[in-house]
Amino acid sequence: IDTQLDINQIAEHLTMLGIEVDSIKSSVPPFSGVVLGKVFDIEKHPNADKLLLCKVDIGLELNIICGAKNVEKNMLVACALEGAVLPSGIKIKKTKMRGLTSEGMLCSEKELGISDIDNGIMSIDVAYNNFLGKDLRDLLDLDEKILDLKITPNRGDCLSVRGIARELST
């Protein structure tokens, strides 16, 4: 339904209708300092067999050392900048790796808390190509909230999304 209510107002409205809101959670845990980047060049790290030196465009050029096997040229990626804080609490800083400086980190969905599956660097749809350097949380709408509802036995009409939407629209 189209509503101008914020998540807390929706929860209050549902409670007033007799539908208990057990919790309100974010769909993705908090993180900061992660922007959309584009890998425009990849070179083998001169001092390490399994590392790559990626040149990433976020509106300015960054050199990021990466060990992921799925990173490709022209890939849109989640790029954690210096000062970024990931859901695990890790704070990103410039780091020297085998003689070269890495100015950030290319992130997987697992590292950002988006998925439990770790299949390498997160690949972002090319439709976002014009948004390099933009905050990833805003760009991918990762602040969406999830309501956990406790439906009582007498409210069988609210056991579906459609039933809850119908109640909210009144």
Side-chain angles (χ1 to χ4, degrees):
I1 62 171
D2 188 17
T3 181
Q4 299 304 315
L5 301 175
D6 70 24
I7 194 69
N8 293 319
Q9 292 170 319
I10 290 172
E12 171 124 0
H13 188 68
L14 288 171
T15 301
M16 290 296 149
L17 292 169
I19 302 167
E20 184 181 346
V21 177
D22 193 35
S23 65
I24 302 172
K25 303 178 211 166
S26 289
S27 59
V28 175
F31 61 81
S32 63
V34 180
V35 299
L36 180 68
K38 182 176 185 175
V39 177
F40 67 89
D41 192 28
I42 302 172
E43 300 171 11
K44 192 169 173 6
H45 191 296
N47 304 321
D49 291 337
K50 296 184 179 182
L51 296 178
L52 300 170
L53 177 60
C54 301
K55 295 193 183 298
V56 180
D57 180 7
I58 61 161
L60 60 109
E61 181 183 320
L62 296 177
N63 291 312
I64 298 179
I65 297 172
C66 176
K69 294 177 172 94
N70 72 320
V71 68
E72 298 174 356
K73 192 172 179 181
N74 295 320
M75 181 180 191
L76 293 181
V77 294
C79 181
L81 304 176
E82 182 178 15
V85 179
L86 301 182
S88 62
I90 293 173
K91 188 172 182 181
I92 305 301
K93 56 186 176 183
K94 286 184 183 180
T95 307
K96 230 177 195 172
M97 298 176 84
R98 304 238 179 161
L100 295 178
T101 301
S102 182
E103 300 173 302
M105 176 180 163
L106 303 183
C107 300
S108 69
E109 289 181 14
K110 186 172 184 177
E111 290 164 331
L112 295 177
I114 295 172
S115 170
D116 290 334
I117 300 167
D118 189 7
N119 31 340
I121 299 303
M122 178 179 176
S123 179
I124 298 171
D125 192 295
V126 294
Y128 293 101
N129 199 40
N130 295 328
F131 299 99
L132 298 181
K134 300 291 183 202
D135 184 83
L136 201 68
R137 286 196 83 84
D138 295 337
L139 193 61
L140 300 181
D141 198 21
L142 297 177
D143 287 322
E144 186 174 45
K145 302 294 184 195
I146 298 170
L147 292 170
D148 188 14
L149 307 176
K150 283 190 177 179
I151 308 298
T152 56
N154 66 325
R155 294 303 310 261
D157 59 319
C158 293
L159 289 174
S160 68
V161 172
R162 183 175 288 177
I164 297 295
R166 184 176 47 248
E167 288 297 312
L168 277 173
S169 67
T170 59

